[in-house]
C-alpha cells in the first residue's frame, strides 16, 4: 500500500516571501500521479497543482511549483510571493495510474500554513 | 458549472434518527465519492461510485448507506449513528475513476451526532 508523509504539521511564512512544503511517499509503482490540495478555513478542498510521475519536468501553476524527485520519492510544493489567501491546510496526495487503485487518493496528514502580514 | 454542491451544510442528529446527505454535480462526471474528514485530519475515502454503480466500499459500517440515483446525484443515508461518526462529510466527483482528472470537492456537511 502507498503511504504519503508530510513531516511539517505547521509552517508559517511572511507575506510576499517564499515557502516550501515537504512531501514524501512510498510506492512500488512506476506510474502514478501526485497532487497538492489546499483546504482553507471555509473547508472546500481545491486542487493546487498536479504532477504525472512519467514527466520529468516539474509542474508549475502561477506562484505554485513543485520539486518532483522520483528516485527520492519526494514531491515538495513551493509557494512564491505568499499571499494572505494562501493560508490553509495543504494536503499532498497520491493516486495510482491503474485499476481500482486509481480511484483512491491517498492523502498525507497535512501541513497547516499560516501567512503573516 | 464546475461546482459540487452539498446539502445540508450542517446537521445535528440523535443516535436513533435517520437522515440523508445530498451531493449534486452537473459537470457530466461519472465518478462520485464520499469522504469522511475529522478535524485537522485528511479525508478518508468511504465510497466510490462509477457510472452509478458502487465501485468501492472501504469497509464502512452499514449504518452508512450510499445511493446514486442518477449520474448527477449522490446520497448518503444515515441511520443509528454513533457520536464518533461526527465529522465533516465531503463529496467529490471526477470525470471517471480511471483517469488523471481532478477530483472536485464540495464544501462538505458538518455532522454532529448527539
Amino acid at each position: 500500500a502507498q503511504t504519503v508523509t508530510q513531516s511539517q504539521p505547521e509552517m508559517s511564512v511572511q507575506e510576499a516571501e517564499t515557502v516550501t512544503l515537504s512531501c514524501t511517499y512510498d510506492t512500488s509503482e512506476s506510474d502514478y500521479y501526485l497532487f497538492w490540495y489546499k483546504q482553507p478555513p471555509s473547508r472546500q478542498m481545491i486542487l493546487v497543482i498536479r504532477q504525472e510521475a512519467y514527466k520529468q519536468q516539474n509542474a508549475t501553476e502561477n506562484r505554485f511549483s513543485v520539486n518532483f524527485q522520483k528516485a527520492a520519492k519526494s514531491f515538495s510544493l513551493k509557494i512564491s510571493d505568499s499571499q494572505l489567501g494562501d493560508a490553509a491546510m495543504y494536503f499532498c496526495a497520491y493516486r495510482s495510474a491503474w485499476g481500482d487503485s486509481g480511484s483512491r487518493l491517498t492523502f498525507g496528514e497535512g501541513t497547516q500554513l499560516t501567512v503573516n502580514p | 458549472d464546475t461546482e459540487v454542491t452539498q446539502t445540508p451544510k450542517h446537521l445535528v442528529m440523535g443516535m436513533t434518527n435517520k437522515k440523508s446527505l445530498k451531493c449534486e454535480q452537473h459537470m457530466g462526471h461519472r465518478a462520485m465519492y464520499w469522504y469522511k474528514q475529522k478535524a485537522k485530519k485528511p479525508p478518508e475515502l468511504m465510497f466510490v461510485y462509477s457510472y452509478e454503480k458502487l465501485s468501492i466500499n472501504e469497509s464502512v459500517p452499514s449504518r452508512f448507506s450510499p445511493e446514486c440515483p442518477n449520474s448527477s446525484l449522490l446520497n448518503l443515508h444515515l441511520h443509528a449513528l454513533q457520536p464518533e461518526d461526527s465529522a465533516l462529510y465531503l463529496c467529490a466527483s471526477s470525470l471517471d475513476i480511471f483517469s488523471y482528472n481532478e477530483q472536485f470537492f464540495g464544501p462538505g456537511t458538518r455532522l454532529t451526532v448527539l
Side-chain angles (χ1 to χ4, degrees):
Chain A
Q2 295 82 22
T3 58
V4 178
T5 302
Q6 293 178 247
S7 58
Q8 307 150 315
E10 297 176 349
M11 292 280 286
S12 64
V13 63
Q14 291 297 125
E15 198 175 2
E17 297 292 307
T18 296
V19 65
T20 298
L21 309 184
S22 301
C23 173
T24 58
Y25 58 94
D26 189 24
T27 184
S28 58
E29 298 175 333
S30 60
D31 201 8
Y32 49 86
Y33 306 112
L34 296 165
F35 305 85
W36 279 99
Y37 279 89
K38 167 186 176 181
Q39 190 174 33
S42 64
R43 307 178 312 194
Q44 191 139 12
M45 187 98 68
I46 57 174
L47 179 67
V48 175
I49 199 165
R50 61 186 158 202
Q51 174 82 41
E52 300 99 315
Y54 63 86
K55 286 189 178 178
Q56 292 187 337
Q57 187 174 3
N58 289 325
T60 62
E61 287 285 344
N62 301 315
R63 297 182 295 108
F64 298 88
S65 62
V66 298
N67 184 2
F68 173 50
Q69 302 288 329
K70 190 172 183 179
K73 296 180 183 174
S74 171
F75 182 61
S76 61
L77 175 69
K78 185 170 83 170
I79 306 174
S80 304
D81 186 24
S82 297
Q83 300 175 358
L84 295 177
D86 295 333
M89 180 73 90
Y90 285 80
F91 292 103
C92 179
Y94 173 103
R95 186 173 182 177
S96 174
W98 303 106
D100 278 357
S101 297
S103 60
R104 291 185 173 86
L105 274 172
T106 301
F107 288 95
E109 288 293 305
T111 296
Q112 183 67 53
L113 178 66
T114 301
V115 181
N116 300 308
Chain B
D1 184 2
T2 58
E3 192 179 21
V4 176
T5 60
Q6 290 187 245
T7 54
K9 285 187 169 49
H10 301 273
L11 179 62
V12 179
M13 60 186 291
M15 289 191 284
T16 58
N17 292 156
K18 284 186 182 181
K19 297 286 184 183
S20 296
L21 309 185
K22 179 181 172 181
C23 172
E24 202 161 2
Q25 57 85 16
H26 296 285
M27 295 180 278
H29 289 174
R30 304 312 298 268
M32 297 186 77
Y33 311 77
W34 280 116
Y35 290 86
K36 173 183 177 181
Q37 187 179 26
K38 290 282 203 178
K40 298 191 184 300
K41 288 292 187 181
E44 300 171 21
L45 184 65
M46 299 175 72
F47 302 104
V48 179
Y49 272 83
S50 177
Y51 289 84
E52 295 105 74
K53 292 192 186 325
L54 185 63
S55 173
I56 291 176
N57 176 343
E58 293 285 59
S59 302
V60 178
S62 60
R63 57 186 184 268
F64 295 90
S65 174
E67 178 197 21
C68 189
N70 60 58
S71 60
S72 300
L73 190 56
L74 185 66
N75 298 319
L76 186 62
H77 303 297
L78 314 172
H79 174 54
L81 293 194
Q82 304 296 309
E84 59 264 29
D85 296 322
S86 299
L88 182 68
Y89 287 84
L90 295 169
C91 174
S93 72
S94 63
L95 195 62
D96 57 50
I97 63 170
F98 298 119
S99 75
Y100 152 85
N101 288 298
E102 176 183 352
Q103 286 191 20
F104 289 83
F105 284 83
T109 293
R110 173 74 63 192
L111 175 67
T112 302
V113 182
L114 301 177

